[in-house]
Amino acid sequence: MKLTWKIAKWEFTRNFTNKQFLIGLLLTPIIMLLFAGVPQLISKLDKPQQEVFYVIDEISEFGQLVEAATDTNLKFVQYQGELAELDELVLEEEATGYFILNQAFLKTGQVQVHTAEKKVMFKELQGLLSNLLQGLRVQEIGIKQEQVAYLTSPALLSSVHIGGESNGDQSNRIGVSIALAGIVLFLIFTSGAMLLQSALQEKQDRMAEIILSSVSSDNLMQGKIIGHFLLGISQLVLWLSIGLPAAWYFMDIPVWAMISLGQLPILIFFALTGYLLFAALFVGIGSTMTDMQSASNTQGMVFMLPMLGFIFVGPVISNPNGLAAQIGTFFPLTSPTITILRLGLAEVPTWELVVAAIILLFTTLLVIKAAAKLFRVGMLMYGKTASVAEMWKWMRY
Amino acid sequence: MNNTLDVKNINKTYDGVKVINDISFAVKAGEIMGIMGPNGAGKTTTIRMIMGITAPDQGELHFFLNGESRNRIPQASVGYLPEERGLYKEAKVMEILLFLSGLKGLDKVIARKRIMEWLEKFQLADKANSKVQQLSKGMAQKVQFIASVLHQPALVVLDEPFSGLDPVSQDVFKQEIRQLADQGMAILISSHQMNLVEEICNRIFIINKGEKVLYGPLQDIKAQYGSYQVNIIAEQEIPELTRSPLVQSFQRLGKKWSLVLKDNTAPAQFLATIPPESPIDELSVARISLHDIFVRIAKGGSSDEINLENR
């Protein structure tokens, strides 16, 4: 165990002091912020172009039209000259087009817009003219604006959960559950990728044999798994220490209140065992490859396995105790993420948790054992990526 | 001298092919034992079995440390320089040596002191804080060598320690290895460069196609294959020498002639038969080299094996 810790410590410090890792550590939150902020920034910078329309006003409502267009990108210019010259004027002034407001508009609501370009979107103009038309017709009939608002107001729905939880609480709860499951998945992916890289590096740097003359292959594998787990956790802690207050402050989500303390040990068990399962799988398979490029289809598929959980996310959210949710909970490769997701969404029957935990634990132990066998042989094999048949043979030794 | 390592009748089969066939030898404290053979003879497989990286299918390995016999390798008491060697390229020399000696259980303070001593010995003291990727191949090999002996192991296993080294560095290595043996370490060296190893080994084990070819003290082997080789430089033919009844065989390469004398023929005996008018420019006499002995035996097959160990 002492040697395992020495390896874990080495893996941890070697990566934690690595420039690339540090840059990634600091850049990721910045990139996240950028992804959130840049679209807004761009939308501010890239204001839509103002659209200029000439209007021939035969119903004396131009003033109202201009007033309605105050906060829009529309600009109206009243035209009182010859209609025949208007086409030319629009093209000359690079305006969007022109239209005529007349009695026919009041009666039928139809307006013909003459445009300079072939394709023009009228959504904003249409809204504006619709409002103008409605206002004018309301006046004509003689009902008050307030009465119109009263008549046209929509039904407003809000739900109150019998247990006392409001709708907002529930959507927050779903959000937090997805986030928790996502964090586990993220940890599996990032630490898994680093683990794989580390096993490959060991082979590429030709260090495996030197290390294996001092420690057993089991020690080396365990040390790597623990070291990268700690690395992943510290990465998460750093990011969450930025992300959680941000979620609290900006989005007003009381994250901690959403996780019930009683469930925390179950949550930690599934997260940890799940990490171990995939870490062992990754490091075992990683040791059988020469480099990332040489990964065969089968090996590539293994790295996609954590994604399996995604199949169940939709069905589980719509029915947290349905058949899909149960299958997702029992199947060891999806069990860690789906169980965590379900725990946040609904009350999961205890027997299901126990069965899922036993299956997951058993599978994890089996995978660790198989991975250790692959690792033992794979780490000493240079210049060749093992075939599936070879891997099978090593596992049966 | 006491045995530090005893290898007894080990066998290894890969995919139905016997790569090691019933091999036995010992390494004693304070001696340099050479395991030699051509590429693919089974040297590295044997060493990996000793190091516990793979296990023999049959046979036994015994390690003797502090009066105790063990079947499993006492990893902290063994140093190893593998043939497939490398170092973490991103790591600094001092860091990596501290890490590796830490795995052998060496205290950090002592390790740091010894690392500096070794680096100074190899004139690498200014590289302690350099990254491995900044070192030349020879420098990196020295660092790897340091890693294998830093914890003062009872047994050091060096797989092809001279490969890739320039002649100057080879000499430095030979000198250091000799000193370690003088301090009482048991040293097992594998190499296919027989000329290099024969200079420093006390005893040798020659392996070919997974089988023992020769085993015993170097001097005994040379005495057994006791012939001498006479190297002559002569522009013209020297039939009076090549046809001499004292000469077993000869080879000619341009103006270089090399004559192997028959067993038990003393050099002086042969020299006395050289006519004064022989057109010889240069002449030297040496014991037949290990390389030649090996070639002689390998050509005759491993049935020609001899064991001088128990004579």
Side-chain angles (χ1 to χ4, degrees):
Chain A
M1 204 57 207
K2 209 174 156 189
L3 290 174
T4 299
W5 276 109
K6 278 184 182 170
I7 300 272
K9 197 179 148 199
W10 170 255
E11 290 285 337
F12 183 86
T13 40
R14 191 155 71 99
N15 283 292
F16 210 83
T17 51
N18 182 298
K19 256 188 228 155
Q20 271 174 316
F21 179 82
L22 287 177
I23 291 171
L25 191 68
L26 298 174
L27 268 188
T28 308
I30 294 173
I31 289 172
M32 296 280 214
L33 285 177
L34 278 182
F35 268 106
V38 164
Q40 276 189 324
L41 201 71
I42 288 174
S43 68
K44 271 187 189 166
L45 284 176
D46 194 20
K47 272 194 174 171
Q49 224 180 350
Q50 201 174 42
E51 292 179 2
V52 181
F53 288 97
Y54 285 93
V55 184
I56 297 173
D57 180 22
E58 296 174 2
I59 51 171
S60 306
E61 296 297 343
F62 185 74
Q64 214 175 319
L65 191 66
V66 169
E67 198 181 317
T70 318
D71 285 330
T72 67
N73 289 310
L74 300 173
K75 191 189 168 193
F76 299 112
V77 180
Q78 196 165 18
Y79 181 73
Q80 285 162 334
E82 287 294 315
L83 182 61
E85 292 166 12
L86 195 48
D87 278 355
E88 213 170 302
L89 183 68
V90 165
L91 294 176
E92 214 170 88
E93 296 293 322
E94 292 181 358
T96 313
Y98 72 89
F99 56 88
I100 304 168
L101 291 182
N102 50 20
Q103 286 302 322
F105 166 65
L106 283 179
K107 263 182 208 159
T108 63
Q110 282 192 350
V111 186
Q112 217 166 34
V113 185
H114 302 258
T115 59
E117 306 264 331
K118 271 187 184 165
K119 280 183 188 168
V120 178
M121 303 280 276
F122 291 131
K123 214 177 161 194
E124 211 171 11
L125 181 64
Q126 190 177 19
L128 210 85
L129 290 177
S130 300
N131 284 341
L132 180 71
L133 185 65
Q134 263 179 19
L136 291 174
R137 283 180 175 175
V138 162
Q139 267 178 19
E140 193 185 303
I141 298 167
I143 36 177
K144 288 177 186 164
Q145 278 291 349
E146 299 86 65
Q147 288 172 312
V148 175
Y150 177 68
L151 271 174
T152 54
S153 71
L156 298 169
L157 275 72
S158 73
S159 75
V160 177
H161 185 239
I162 297 169
E165 192 177 53
S166 72
N167 198 14
D169 278 355
Q170 202 189 345
S171 62
N172 277 348
R173 191 178 256 278
I174 293 176
V176 172
S177 304
I178 292 179
L180 278 176
I183 284 172
V184 174
L185 210 58
F186 173 82
L187 187 67
I188 288 171
F189 265 117
T190 52
S191 298
M194 284 195 291
L195 251 177
L196 173 75
Q197 195 60 43
S198 149
L200 289 177
Q201 197 64 42
E202 204 92 35
K203 286 177 81 171
Q204 279 163 9
D205 284 350
R206 297 284 195 264
M207 275 304 282
E209 219 168 319
I210 295 181
I211 303 284
L212 288 177
S213 72
S214 300
V215 302
S216 70
S217 62
D218 288 356
N219 280 147
L220 179 59
M221 193 177 101
Q222 287 159 8
K224 276 186 181 296
I225 290 176
I226 294 172
H228 285 272
F229 176 71
L230 295 177
L231 210 58
I233 289 285
S234 18
Q235 208 171 352
L236 262 184
V237 166
L238 189 95
W239 291 346
L240 288 183
S241 62
I242 300 169
L244 285 185
W248 198 316
Y249 186 76
F250 292 112
M251 291 185 268
D252 204 19
I253 303 173
V255 181
W256 293 118
M258 294 292 148
I259 307 165
S260 82
L261 276 178
Q263 284 178 345
L264 210 56
I266 310 174
L267 216 123
I268 290 172
F269 170 83
F270 276 93
L272 266 182
T273 321
Y275 168 77
L276 271 180
L277 171 68
F278 284 107
L281 205 59
F282 280 15
V283 81
I285 294 292
S287 68
T288 65
M289 304 177 354
T290 314
D291 48 44
M292 280 309 278
Q293 286 77 33
S294 70
S296 67
N297 286 338
T298 328
Q299 286 155 333
M301 296 275 274
V302 171
F303 303 119
M304 299 307 290
L305 285 179
M307 305 287 277
L308 273 181
F310 282 113
I311 301 171
F312 294 92
V313 171
V316 169
I317 289 175
S318 59
N319 186 2
N321 280 329
L323 183 66
Q326 281 182 326
I327 294 172
T329 307
F330 294 144
F331 186 55
L333 294 178
T334 53
S335 169
T337 41
I338 296 303
T339 312
I340 289 170
L341 183 66
R342 279 182 72 189
L343 278 173
L345 294 175
E347 203 64 33
V348 183
T350 312
W351 74 268
E352 281 188 30
L353 286 178
V354 173
V355 172
I358 291 172
I359 295 176
L360 180 62
L361 198 64
F362 185 72
T363 315
T364 304
L365 291 176
L366 212 68
V367 168
I368 289 178
K369 210 166 172 189
K373 286 187 175 183
L374 286 182
F375 193 79
R376 195 168 302 157
V377 189
M379 284 306 277
L380 294 170
M381 205 171 75
Y382 299 111
K384 181 174 168 266
T385 292
S387 66
V388 177
E390 278 172 319
M391 287 194 255
W392 179 241
K393 204 177 87 186
W394 300 348
M395 280 194 279
R396 288 185 309 162
Y397 265 138
Chain B
M1 280 189 289
N2 298 323
N3 287 356
T4 304
L5 167 69
D6 236 341
V7 177
K8 279 189 178 165
N9 310 102
I10 55 168
N11 287 273
K12 185 81 186 172
T13 304
Y14 282 128
D15 294 328
V17 179
K18 203 152 203 175
V19 290
I20 296 295
N21 191 6
D22 201 30
I23 276 180
S24 303
F25 62 86
V27 187
K28 296 172 182 174
E31 77 161 354
I32 303 173
M33 160 82 182
I35 171 163
M36 290 185 255
N39 293 326
K43 302 185 296 286
T44 296
T45 308
T46 305
I47 284 178
R48 283 185 170 182
M49 285 191 276
I50 294 170
M51 293 310 300
I53 293 167
T54 52
D57 297 335
Q58 285 158 13
E60 289 170 20
L61 293 159
H62 294 285
F63 297 87
F64 302 94
L65 287 171
N66 310 322
E68 272 180 58
S69 166
R70 307 165 197 223
N71 295 330
R72 291 192 60 176
I73 181 167
Q75 286 181 319
S77 305
V78 179
Y80 180 39
L81 178 71
E83 186 185 12
E84 283 285 359
R85 49 180 159 254
L87 291 167
Y88 298 113
K89 291 184 187 67
E90 287 288 321
K92 290 176 180 166
V93 171
M94 178 58 88
E95 278 172 3
I96 204 166
L97 287 174
L98 281 176
F99 167 61
L100 291 173
S101 61
L103 291 181
K104 295 288 189 189
L106 192 62
D107 178 78
K108 230 176 187 172
V109 180
I110 300 172
R112 203 176 279 274
K113 193 169 157 265
R114 283 194 202 158
I115 290 168
M116 281 322 292
E117 284 169 7
W118 272 104
L119 289 176
E120 270 160 29
K121 212 180 268 191
F122 282 130
Q123 294 170 333
L124 287 175
D126 57 330
K127 302 285 182 196
N129 288 313
S130 300
K131 283 189 176 178
V132 168
Q133 59 194 4
Q134 295 166 329
L135 302 183
S136 71
K137 197 181 166 198
M139 288 177 186
Q141 203 153 327
K142 285 173 184 166
V143 174
Q144 288 150 356
F145 179 78
I146 295 173
S148 66
V149 297
L150 202 56
H151 55 295
Q152 297 185 338
L155 172 68
V156 186
V157 179
L158 306 170
D159 198 354
E160 301 282 357
F162 305 112
S163 68
L165 285 180
D166 61 68
V168 177
S169 299
Q170 281 179 354
D171 283 345
V172 176
F173 264 49
K174 275 189 275 186
Q175 203 181 330
E176 291 304 329
I177 293 168
R178 187 71 258 169
Q179 273 184 17
L180 290 173
D182 292 344
Q183 286 164 21
M185 285 187 200
I187 294 173
L188 178 65
I189 290 184
S190 111
S191 182
H192 65 279
Q193 295 156 295
M194 301 202 188
N195 56 333
L196 282 172
V197 178
E198 87 170 284
E199 291 173 32
I200 55 168
C201 284
N202 301 92
R203 293 185 313 135
I204 54 162
F205 183 96
I206 297 185
I207 180 173
N208 192 27
K209 294 174 188 157
E211 296 193 10
K212 180 179 82 175
V213 177
L214 260 179
Y215 176 41
L218 195 59
Q219 290 316 311
D220 293 3
I221 287 174
K222 287 207 166 181
Q224 165 79 14
Y225 287 85
S227 19
Y228 287 88
Q229 186 167 310
V230 182
N231 298 310
I232 294 171
I233 292 184
E235 298 279 355
Q236 300 164 29
E237 298 273 331
I238 41 170
E240 66 282 7
L241 299 182
T242 53
R243 284 183 203 151
S244 156
L246 297 177
V247 170
Q248 183 177 291
S249 62
F250 74 92
Q251 268 191 330
R252 181 186 180 178
L253 213 67
K255 56 180 182 178
K256 285 184 184 172
W257 301 77
S258 78
L259 285 58
V260 177
L261 302 187
K262 282 188 174 162
D263 290 350
N264 305 320
T265 304
Q269 205 182 339
F270 173 74
L271 291 176
T273 65
I274 300 176
E277 65 279 9
S278 268
I280 296 172
D281 287 336
E282 286 177 31
L283 185 146
S284 62
V285 184
R287 276 273 195 197
I288 186 169
S289 71
L290 208 50
H291 172 88
D292 293 322
I293 297 175
F294 176 76
V295 171
R296 235 167 105 181
I297 296 166
K299 278 183 179 166
S302 60
S303 59
D304 204 10
E305 71 177 44
I306 55 161
N307 192 345
L308 302 165
E309 188 59 9
N310 300 318
R311 292 193 326 165

